[in-house]
Amino acid sequence: MSTTELPARHGEPPARHAELMDGVYRWQRHIYDLTRKYYLLGRDRLISGLDVPADGTVLELGCGTGRNIVLAARRYPDARFFGLDISAEMLETAMAAIAREGLSGRVKLARGDATDFDAKALFSVESFDRIFVSYSLSMIPGWEKTISAALAALSAGGSLHVVDFGQQEALPGWFRTLLRGWLRKFHVEPRESLRDVLESESERIGASLRFRTLYRGYAWLAVVGSHK
């Protein structure tokens, strides 16, 4: 499959959320990377920590404009990359970016629901060595299911990497108020229970969890290491 084509979907993404995301990003996608670099902090740290094995497979859930996949593909030239997003508008931008970078042979994209996806049907891949989710859980209804689905799709010895908004616990109250108000305009809600859910899911499957607070609580960075 080339990155200029979308494969058949495994089930239909939730219609309302797909339409909402397409509406939000129909125009925003053209300036998304330029504006988000100032406040989606920790993404490059996540990518540098993927430590993808030779000939490894990497899946990004909520791949958006393809910014992260492009950077990761450059950093790990021997790996194969896969991206999933619910927004057709974002995927159009991502596919164009991947083609411009000459990465179409190593990157495949699909439209689907990050809370319920069939990797085999979408990508002809059973499982992945690395899965990462960058600032997407705060936008996904039922985001807890995304974590469960990601862990189920990991290969033995694989790892799940997450970066997202924290609770800004060590930052001034006025800053938290302004940030939350701004994020609501884009249907973004920092997940207060993210650490609890990751701890519960890690315990359920017997995996390790590394959880870091970045920039005085502005962002949270976590790695779940699978032992299955």
Side-chain angles (χ1 to χ4, degrees):
M1 180 195 77
S2 73
T3 54
T4 57
E5 301 169 334
L6 290 178
R9 305 181 204 175
H10 172 65
E12 195 75 3
R16 287 187 180 178
H17 189 57
E19 291 172 5
L20 175 63
M21 292 297 98
D22 280 342
V24 168
Y25 292 114
R26 182 162 288 115
W27 304 113
Q28 279 284 321
R29 63 192 173 98
H30 299 295
I31 60 170
Y32 185 93
D33 291 330
L34 178 63
T35 58
R36 267 55 175 188
K37 70 179 181 179
Y38 297 109
Y39 65 91
L40 298 187
L41 308 178
R43 295 181 297 172
D44 294 347
R45 186 176 298 196
L46 179 150
I47 291 170
S48 67
L50 288 174
D51 192 23
V52 183
D55 300 319
T57 51
V58 183
L59 169 65
E60 181 179 13
L61 297 175
C63 63
T65 63
R67 181 262 190 196
N68 294 327
I69 279 187
V70 166
L71 291 179
R74 288 178 189 160
R75 187 178 183 93
Y76 305 102
D78 297 326
R80 291 181 295 144
F81 288 83
F82 305 86
L84 183 74
D85 204 282
I86 203 168
S87 170
E89 298 286 344
M90 285 297 231
L91 285 172
E92 182 179 335
T93 296
M95 288 186 290
I98 289 163
R100 282 196 306 271
E101 294 292 330
L103 296 170
S104 299
R106 289 201 294 124
V107 181
K108 293 184 179 181
L109 304 179
R111 189 183 186 198
D113 178 7
T115 69
D116 181 21
F117 61 92
D118 184 332
K120 181 70 172 178
L122 292 172
F123 302 116
S124 299
V125 174
E126 295 278 359
S127 60
F128 305 89
D129 297 300
R130 302 288 184 268
I131 298 177
F132 69 97
V133 193
S134 172
Y135 285 95
S136 292
L137 294 179
S138 50
M139 300 188 70
I140 298 174
W143 59 275
E144 300 92 341
K145 295 179 181 177
T146 297
I147 294 174
S148 299
L151 292 175
L154 280 179
S155 302
S159 55
L160 167 65
H161 302 247
V162 175
V163 66
D164 215 312
F165 291 105
Q167 293 297 297
Q168 301 84 49
E169 53 268 29
L171 292 169
W174 63 264
F175 180 86
R176 292 196 300 271
T177 300
L178 286 177
L179 179 63
R180 297 300 179 91
W182 171 254
L183 294 177
R184 279 194 293 271
K185 295 178 182 293
F186 302 98
H187 305 276
V188 176
E189 179 183 353
R191 304 307 187 186
E192 183 177 1
S193 61
L194 177 59
R195 183 168 191 165
D196 292 338
V197 172
L198 289 172
E199 287 178 346
S200 175
E201 285 295 293
S202 298
E203 183 177 352
R204 179 180 63 82
I205 66 171
S208 63
L209 172 64
R210 286 183 285 137
F211 194 95
R212 297 190 61 184
T213 296
L214 306 179
Y215 315 114
R216 301 176 65 190
Y218 182 91
W220 287 341
L221 177 65
V223 178
V224 179
S226 172
H227 298 297
K228 65 181 181 180

